[in-house]
Amino acid sequence: MEKYRDSSLSPKERAQDLLGRMSLEEKMGQVNCLFPYGDNWDAVEKDMEHGIGQVSTLDVRVIKSLEEAAAWQRRIQEKVMEKSGHGIPAVFHMEGLCGPFIQDSMSFPSGIARGSSWDPELEEKVGEIVGRQELSCGITQVLAPVLDISRDSRMGRQGEAYGEDPALAAAMGTAYVKGIQNQTVAGRRAESVAKHFLGFHNSQGGIHGANCDIPDRLLEEVYAKPFQAAVSGAGLKGVMPCYCVINGEPVSASEKILTELLREKMGFEGVCVSDYGAVGNVHNTQKVCETVTEAGLLCMRAGMDVEAQNCMGFNQELGEWFRTGKADMAILDRAVLRILEAKFRMGLFEHPYALEGEELREKFTGRDDGRVSLQSALESMVLLKNNGVLPLKPGIRKIAVIGCHAANARSLFGGYTHLSMAEAVHAVANSIAGLESGSVQGKELVTVPGTQIQSDETEEFDEILRHQKPGCPGILEKLREKLGGVEIGYAYGYAIAGNDFSHMEEALRLAEEADVILMTLGGKHGSCSVASMGEGVDATDINLPECQEEFIRRAAQLGKPMVGIHLNGRPISSDAADRYLDAILEAWNPSEMGAEAIVQVLTGEYNPGGKLPVCVARNAGQIPIYYNHPNGSAWHQGESIGFAEYVDMPHTPRYFFGHGLSYTEFAYSGLHVAPESADPEGTVEITVEIENMGKVKGDEVVQLYLRDVYAEMTRPVKELSGFKRVTLEPGEKRKVVFRLQCSQTAFLDSRMQWKVEKGEFEVQIGSSSEDIRQRGSFRIVGDKIVEGKSRGMYAEAEVR
């Protein structure tokens, strides 16, 4: 028996043996990707003439049943292995940010919503479900989590990220990777592909894929930290580079980033997969190299292992260059070896096919899947403002529900959900990178009045929801179900964007008769031309649209209690909402359990405990705005020279990072820091007591911040160093204990070495980055240069 067929050997041994047996054509097949869609089977057969490395599963989004999706995988995998000279199976990859694109799969809240939960333990459970469902269908590579740091609400993809803070993203992302990669189904193991490496959300103007001006120190200290945590803490096995150019180099073709930083400094040992079309973009869009083949070689030499979704740079001509010696065969062998080793790790040679029959249903569907999705939605809810109107009080007779989002459950689903990707098939114009420029040919574009956004208020879009999520309720339906004795009226009021005021009078008449006005606000976080934000759908205006602002102002004249429920991928930013609304609930895109979660919060059945994972800018003119800015910057600039505010608004954000209210009150006491002096290799234990002072059960996110009082380099005014979500009954008091490794304070010194520096550190513990309740300090007594990949990333915490 050949060594590569011996499952008792290590994946590396098997891969090395198989590599030595492969022809050049087989090797080139492994660095390429198949993109089956529609009826293009003739092209598919041609593209995998000698086998294939990966298969895109994007077209599974339109397959109507779970069984058909699994059969689709088995059919293609059988062909791939038949064509390969050594029976090498393909890796099937699928997005996993909010759940699989498979019929009957579970959908989860958006990334920024889950970031608002501040709950890594729950996030790991989400990853486990996504991994299990995709593995059941033969998909072993999950393109998630998104580990981007987001400081710009103009960018349409803000809703995919966990937020603006590297420690929060590190903890949440590491948990998600563990959830994915700990899964085994029918002998197959999943691997996570984190994206978008690196600095993707720092693009100029908030424009998708644009140039990024990021100095090396910022790149490594902030943008690389979540990836480093996932590599060091969870053994991350896949990375997808971003489309951007950094310091003149396309990231997809940067040896400095993909090899020197990612592999040599950070210790990554997995597979590097291109974003769709990214290798071709190096030549065609970023104008690097004389030919696309040269660009392909540049990318592979830099450390890119697989080109997705179609062959452009890793082409037949490049194969000839390897054959003739024009290109070094060692470059190709290195990539193929990584790919083969991953396939052996995944168990694909022994278990290449999706499940079928009863076993498929049994493994795919878990009893707790819906409960986890609901819990994720509940924990994502952030109560931004409340003057006591929430929870809704007994005795209310009439409620007016206003807004286009309330009556249609599709508004609950954000970008990169199965639903939004199926909607994209019906979009007149495409904005998803790597795909054709237009999705639907010859279809008339009907827009939301006053905008370029395609209206989705048509039967074809409603049919998608009915098929994918039959019976999924909207907010209005769930309110009527939960509040059976209350008269609940509904008016459309306004659209997701634009300046159409034609529905306003009807809505105002309804509101005038009500005891409480509930307004659903926000845009459409989705895909392509049917979205107001999403991949490639960026904006200069981050505030509520004119039609919604005007309605709030006019409704305020009625003198009725008003509650705003915001649904979108960026946080609500509105002068009118701040001034006139009695309560604001940031609901993000909570997905299929979202209506239940929202109504539970409104009625008080659930006490919201979510916290903002971003600072909220007052308008786009404040961007970038983030809490952990360097000393002497942002709203601390006035300590140096100049006015303390802009001439037209404050320097401070509308809402601070970590902010979120509750229906109860929490008291902090008893801060204890030990030892007071620690070695640079030591650990500091920080303990604080938290007590629920109110009459209802509630969650509090206890947030630990550190301030390096003086340092060799200009450091942030404070940095999140740990956090713990705690559930307390009325009157209950618990201790939260943080264990902080001193290496977590390391920064890149003037020589770009990771340095733990002696000196004093202020400990701040509170309910948000600005609401600090307890302060203390400790001192590190010596300097030490440490290895960046082994430094502490965030403090572990437990509740006693």
Side-chain angles (χ1 to χ4, degrees):
M1 181 174 65
E2 299 93 336
K3 288 177 67 177
Y4 79 89
R5 296 190 182 278
D6 185 353
S7 60
S8 69
L9 298 177
S10 71
K12 185 176 286 293
E13 288 178 295
R14 298 177 73 183
Q16 287 171 335
D17 178 69
L18 179 54
L19 179 66
R21 302 172 185 273
M22 292 170 67
S23 67
L24 173 65
E25 289 77 15
E26 282 183 287
K27 292 177 182 179
M28 288 301 297
Q30 291 305 300
V31 298
N32 272 283
C33 176
L34 195 67
F35 185 34
Y37 60 91
D39 56 359
N40 70 332
W41 284 98
D42 290 341
V44 164
E45 294 262 1
K46 181 181 178 182
D47 289 342
M48 59 177 178
E49 191 173 355
H50 299 282
I52 202 77
Q54 295 217 356
V55 175
S56 166
T57 63
L58 182 60
D59 211 45
V60 173
R61 61 183 167 167
V62 299
I63 294 178
K64 297 299 184 182
S65 73
L66 169 63
E67 288 73 18
E68 288 174 281
W72 179 92
Q73 189 274 349
R74 292 194 299 273
R75 176 186 178 188
I76 295 174
Q77 186 73 289
E78 185 176 342
K79 287 285 185 182
V80 168
M81 295 175 68
E82 179 185 306
K83 293 281 187 178
S84 168
H86 290 89
I88 303 173
V91 169
F92 285 70
H93 69 242
M94 178 174 277
E95 299 290 347
L97 172 63
C98 301
F101 298 167
I102 303 170
Q103 181 63 32
D104 301 335
S105 64
M106 185 56 60
S107 289
F108 295 95
S110 58
I112 197 168
R114 303 207 309 273
S116 300
S117 76
W118 298 58
D119 190 343
E121 291 83 2
L122 179 60
E123 186 68 357
E124 185 170 346
K125 294 178 182 177
V126 173
E128 289 172 356
I129 293 170
V130 175
R132 168 173 48 78
Q133 292 193 330
E134 296 197 8
L135 280 169
S136 299
C137 290
I139 298 159
T140 54
Q141 201 171 59
V142 182
L143 306 186
V146 172
L147 297 182
D148 296 315
I149 299 302
S150 177
R151 295 173 168 179
D152 193 337
S153 290
R154 296 172 300 178
M155 192 184 192
R157 303 186 77 168
Q158 183 173 41
E160 298 176 24
Y162 287 120
E164 71 179 43
D165 183 79
L168 176 61
M172 297 294 288
T174 298
Y176 192 88
V177 172
K178 287 179 180 177
I180 292 289
Q181 296 191 165
N182 288 343
Q183 291 298 293
T184 301
V185 172
R188 284 185 298 280
R189 288 171 294 280
E191 295 193 352
S192 173
V193 178
K195 55 185 187 175
H196 306 84
F197 193 80
L198 188 63
F200 181 48
H201 281 240
N202 197 39
S203 58
Q204 289 178 348
I207 299 170
H208 184 270
N211 184 63
C212 294
D213 292 319
I214 310 176
D216 289 346
R217 182 170 284 103
L218 178 63
L219 193 72
E220 293 190 40
E221 287 186 347
V222 173
Y223 291 100
K225 182 173 180 175
F227 292 91
Q228 181 66 81
V231 170
S232 302
L236 175 69
K237 292 296 188 289
V239 160
M240 178 180 286
C242 68
Y243 289 109
C244 302
V245 171
I246 297 178
N247 298 326
E249 287 188 308
V251 174
S252 296
S254 173
E255 187 172 359
K256 177 181 178 181
I257 293 176
L258 298 187
T259 296
E260 293 177 17
L261 175 59
L262 178 62
R263 294 189 183 275
E264 295 173 7
K265 288 186 179 181
M266 297 175 64
F268 176 70
E269 295 180 344
V271 176
C272 185
V273 184
S274 88
D275 210 333
Y276 280 18
V279 172
N281 277 4
V282 171
H283 173 71
N284 297 323
T285 302
Q286 293 151 339
K287 308 301 180 185
V288 173
C289 298
E290 293 293 325
T291 68
V292 72
T293 306
E294 290 178 35
L297 178 59
L298 185 65
C299 291
M300 194 182 294
R301 183 189 294 126
M304 187 75 77
D305 300 317
V306 179
E307 179 180 11
Q309 82 285 19
N310 291 318
C311 174
M312 295 188 73
F314 291 8
N315 56 31
Q316 193 170 12
E317 182 181 28
L318 181 58
E320 287 303 309
W321 288 6
F322 287 123
R323 188 191 306 279
T324 61
K326 184 176 180 178
D328 186 355
M329 182 68 79
I331 296 171
L332 176 62
D333 284 349
R334 181 184 65 181
V336 175
L337 184 65
R338 291 170 182 160
I339 293 162
L340 294 176
E341 189 174 350
K343 292 183 177 186
F344 286 116
R345 283 196 306 265
M346 293 170 177
L348 279 174
F349 279 77
E350 288 73 38
H351 309 282
Y353 299 116
L355 297 174
E356 54 188 330
E358 290 184 11
E359 189 179 11
L360 172 62
R361 280 283 167 184
E362 180 184 336
K363 294 291 186 182
F364 190 84
T365 307
R367 285 185 301 176
D368 287 339
D369 293 356
R371 183 190 61 79
V372 172
S373 183
L374 174 59
Q375 190 65 26
S376 184
L378 286 167
E379 292 193 10
S380 74
M381 299 287 151
V382 184
L383 186 62
L384 296 177
K385 178 183 179 183
N386 186 26
N387 67 4
V389 67
L390 290 181
L392 297 172
K393 305 299 184 289
I396 294 174
R397 295 177 298 106
K398 291 185 179 181
I399 295 176
V401 179
I402 313 294
C404 61
H405 305 81
N408 195 321
R410 287 192 293 108
S411 64
L412 303 170
F413 295 80
Y416 273 84
T417 55
H418 185 201
L419 184 117
S420 75
M421 279 297 179
E423 288 181 336
V425 175
H426 298 278
V428 172
N430 172 65
S431 66
I432 301 174
L435 304 185
E436 296 294 326
S437 59
S439 299
V440 180
Q441 302 299 322
K443 180 179 178 179
E444 180 185 1
L445 176 62
V446 178
T447 60
V448 176
T451 76
Q452 302 178 57
I453 302 165
Q454 179 183 346
S455 174
D456 66 350
E457 296 175 352
T458 59
E459 171 60 24
E460 62 188 338
F461 290 102
D462 287 336
E463 174 56 31
I464 296 170
L465 177 68
R466 285 195 296 269
H467 180 78
Q468 281 194 14
K469 303 294 178 184
C472 180
I475 298 169
L476 177 64
E477 181 182 346
K478 185 57 68 170
L479 278 166
R480 286 173 170 164
E481 175 189 317
K482 291 269 189 177
L483 301 175
V486 180
E487 182 181 337
I488 299 176
Y490 170 73
Y492 180 88
Y494 38 76
I496 60 168
N499 56 4
D500 181 7
F501 303 141
S502 62
H503 303 277
M504 195 167 294
E505 291 302 327
E506 176 193 3
L508 288 169
R509 286 194 296 271
L510 179 70
E512 190 172 15
E513 299 172 356
D515 299 322
V516 176
I517 305 168
L518 299 183
M519 304 177 194
T520 56
L521 304 166
K524 166 73 172 178
H525 179 209
S527 301
C528 304
S529 53
V530 294
S532 63
M533 73 174 296
E535 181 175 351
V537 186
D538 311 313
T540 61
D541 188 350
I542 65 168
N543 303 105
L544 289 182
E546 185 180 354
C547 57
Q548 296 179 21
E549 287 275 304
E550 179 62 17
F551 183 82
I552 293 172
R553 286 191 289 265
R554 292 184 62 179
Q557 298 173 17
L558 301 175
K560 303 294 182 73
M562 300 194 300
V563 177
I565 304 157
H566 187 250
L567 297 146
N568 212 351
R570 60 172 63 94
I572 185 172
S573 185
S574 163
D575 291 342
D578 278 358
R579 180 176 179 181
Y580 296 117
L581 295 186
D582 297 283
I584 302 174
L585 180 66
E586 182 58 77
W588 309 108
N589 294 107
S591 205
E592 63 186 276
M593 297 296 182
E596 174 70 26
I598 289 167
V599 174
Q600 282 196 25
V601 170
L602 294 176
T603 60
E605 184 178 344
Y606 182 82
N607 186 356
K611 302 284 187 175
L612 283 175
V614 291
C615 285
V616 180
R618 297 173 190 272
N619 65 32
Q622 283 190 308
I623 293 171
I625 186 167
Y626 50 95
Y627 87 94
N628 53 345
H629 50 263
N631 283 303
S633 297
W635 56 94
H636 292 85
Q637 173 271 347
E639 298 169 1
S640 171
I641 189 170
F643 292 121
E645 311 291 357
Y646 291 109
V647 297
D648 53 357
M649 71 174 58
H651 283 158
T652 52
R654 190 181 296 277
Y655 297 106
F656 289 94
F657 175 82
H659 169 72
L661 303 177
S662 173
Y663 295 151
T664 188
E665 295 290 335
F666 298 96
Y668 289 70
S669 62
L671 176 65
H672 181 70
V673 181
E676 295 180 357
S677 297
D679 294 327
E681 295 178 305
T683 300
V684 176
E685 188 170 277
I686 300 166
T687 304
V688 69
E689 294 181 337
I690 176 82
E691 183 176 5
N692 183 348
M693 306 297 289
K695 298 180 179 179
V696 295
K697 177 181 176 182
D699 287 6
E700 173 69 327
V701 178
V702 180
Q703 301 166 39
L704 166 66
Y705 296 89
L706 287 188
R707 180 173 74 90
D708 192 342
V709 179
Y710 292 101
E712 174 187 338
M713 311 298 293
T714 298
R715 301 294 297 138
V717 294
K718 67 179 67 176
E719 293 182 283
L720 181 70
S721 298
F723 57 91
K724 186 66 176 177
R725 187 165 181 140
V726 185
T727 303
L728 296 174
E729 297 289 342
E732 186 178 8
K733 187 175 186 178
R734 303 290 294 274
K735 284 184 178 180
V736 178
V737 181
F738 295 98
R739 291 186 180 85
L740 177 86
Q741 298 178 56
C742 290
S743 64
Q744 194 177 323
T745 68
F747 60 88
L748 290 168
D749 67 8
S750 58
R751 297 183 180 182
M752 292 298 289
Q753 302 174 106
W754 286 102
K755 181 180 183 180
V756 179
E757 188 177 62
K758 65 181 179 181
E760 183 182 358
F761 292 82
E762 182 183 10
V763 173
Q764 303 178 8
I765 291 187
S767 189
S768 82
S769 59
E770 284 295 300
D771 184 8
I772 301 301
R773 309 287 184 89
Q774 296 277 290
R775 296 177 188 269
S777 66
F778 65 91
R779 176 171 288 276
I780 295 178
V781 297
D783 295 340
K784 185 173 182 61
I785 302 301
V786 299
E787 194 175 36
K789 63 184 177 183
S790 60
R791 74 190 193 277
M793 297 293 159
Y794 48 88
E796 298 293 335
E798 66 170 318
V799 180
R800 294 179 182 171

